[in-house]
Amino acid sequence: MKRVITLIAVLAIAISVPARSGILVAQFGTSNDEGRKASLDVLYTDLQSAFPEYDIREAYTSPTIRRILAKRGVNKDSVTDALLRMHLDGIDTVMVQPTFLLDGVEMQMLRDEVAAVTSLFSNVRIGVPLLYTIDDFKALAAILSAESPARREAIMYVGHGNEYASTSAYAMLGSMLQHAGSSHSYIGTIEGWPDLQASVAQLTGKGYRKVTLVPLLLAAGVHAREDIDGEWRPAVESIGCKVEVRLQGLGERQAIRQMVIDHLRQLQKSI
């Protein structure tokens, strides 16, 4: 009986709240406080400024990261929980915008999770990841190629990668960087292709005195510190190069955050 009364009360609250529109930004997340504040939190603030007419919410898709943060008193919703809260708060039209780099496994999981609660809303649209169209690749290549390394120096951007076909996007981005004239800028991945061995091979025999390793990740978190600084640095140093690791996530760049905003602008047209 109590459950029935509670359900009726919840439905009454939901019905009494005027319907409105919202944006849910879906982020993988990071357990690194500095990386979160410098990238993900700044992006969230930018979205609030760019879309003042929308109720902006946030979700972290990684259960592990949510658990770690919860122990520190930092609570982040899952996509399902965030959408249920939005529904109860009277939000009836939702744009879900991911901040993933690729259209890979994380995107499919996001689509499945959203689909499970779509019936609660009158209109739900899911945006695309950072790299989805050829123009997206060109835009990111232009942003990265704007930084030219000094003579006899190189930059290696290191992404996460995966074991599936979507990891080929990294090689495509690397090709575009070369085509854009950034012949001393390279792309590597931690768990995909080009892997560490192939990435070091790209640098070998080029006469580089220094290589700067930069995370191709939205936030500079655990992977940047443990994998890039902990494993990639010594591997590149082993071929005689001085190595600098720049712990800067993509989300710290305003131009990258603008790409997310631009994707939302396009998604907005379908509402």
Side-chain angles (χ1 to χ4, degrees), residues 39-59:
S39 296
L40 310 188
D41 291 354
V42 175
L43 172 60
Y44 183 78
T45 300
D46 282 0
L47 291 175
Q48 288 179 312
S49 298
F51 299 92
E53 71 276 26
Y54 285 85
D55 189 325
I56 312 293
R57 305 293 177 93
E58 181 185 41

Side-chain angles (χ1 to χ4, degrees), residues 188-204:
T189 69
I190 296 168
E191 296 182 8
W193 183 266
D195 59 11
L196 176 55
Q197 183 178 359
S199 298
V200 172
Q202 292 183 80
L203 301 169
T204 303

Side-chain angles (χ1 to χ4, degrees), residues 152-221:
R152 295 187 65 187
E153 294 185 7
I155 296 178
M156 173 69 73
Y157 296 97
V158 185
H160 188 280
N162 59 57
E163 60 182 356
Y164 305 103
S166 59
T167 202
S168 61
Y170 292 99
M172 180 174 171
L173 181 61
S175 176
M176 283 193 171
L177 274 175
Q178 298 289 313
H179 185 73
S182 298
S183 57
H184 303 296
S185 297
Y186 303 89
I187 303 291
T189 69
I190 296 168
E191 296 182 8
W193 183 266
D195 59 11
L196 176 55
Q197 183 178 359
S199 298
V200 172
Q202 292 183 80
L203 301 169
T204 303
K206 302 290 179 61
Y208 294 128
R209 295 175 303 182
K210 178 183 176 182
V211 175
T212 301
L213 299 175
V214 183
L216 194 65
L217 307 163
L218 196 69

Side-chain angles (χ1 to χ4, degrees), residues 12 17 21-22 33 42 47 49 55 78 86 89 101 121-122 130 149 160-161 184 208 233 240-241 248 261:
V17 177
S21 299
D33 293 333
V42 175
L47 291 175
S49 298
D55 189 325
S78 66
M86 295 174 84
D89 288 342
L101 192 67
F121 304 91
S122 64
L130 202 65
H160 188 280
H184 303 296
Y208 294 128
R233 175 196 287 274
C241 298
Q248 177 190 41
I261 292 172

Side-chain angles (χ1 to χ4, degrees), residues 19-90:
R20 59 187 193 272
S21 299
I23 292 173
L24 176 61
V25 54
Q27 321 224 56
F28 183 81
T30 178
S31 60
N32 180 269
D33 293 333
E34 292 180 3
R36 184 182 72 253
K37 293 174 182 177
S39 296
L40 310 188
D41 291 354
V42 175
L43 172 60
Y44 183 78
T45 300
D46 282 0
L47 291 175
Q48 288 179 312
S49 298
F51 299 92
E53 71 276 26
Y54 285 85
D55 189 325
I56 312 293
R57 305 293 177 93
E58 181 185 41
Y60 277 16
T61 61
S62 169
T64 300
I65 290 174
R66 293 199 305 270
R67 284 195 297 270
I68 293 172
L69 291 178
K71 292 178 181 178
R72 302 179 195 162
V74 179
N75 296 307
K76 297 292 183 180
D77 279 336
S78 66
V79 170
T80 298
D81 287 344
L83 287 171
L84 290 176
R85 290 182 194 276
M86 295 174 84
H87 168 64
L88 293 177
D89 288 342

Side-chain angles (χ1 to χ4, degrees), residues 245-264:
V245 177
R246 186 186 305 161
L247 297 177
Q248 177 190 41
L250 290 175
E252 296 182 44
R253 304 183 187 214
Q254 194 279 330
I256 300 293
R257 300 196 301 273
Q258 186 60 48
M259 287 183 67
V260 178
I261 292 172
D262 290 344
H263 281 181
L264 260 172

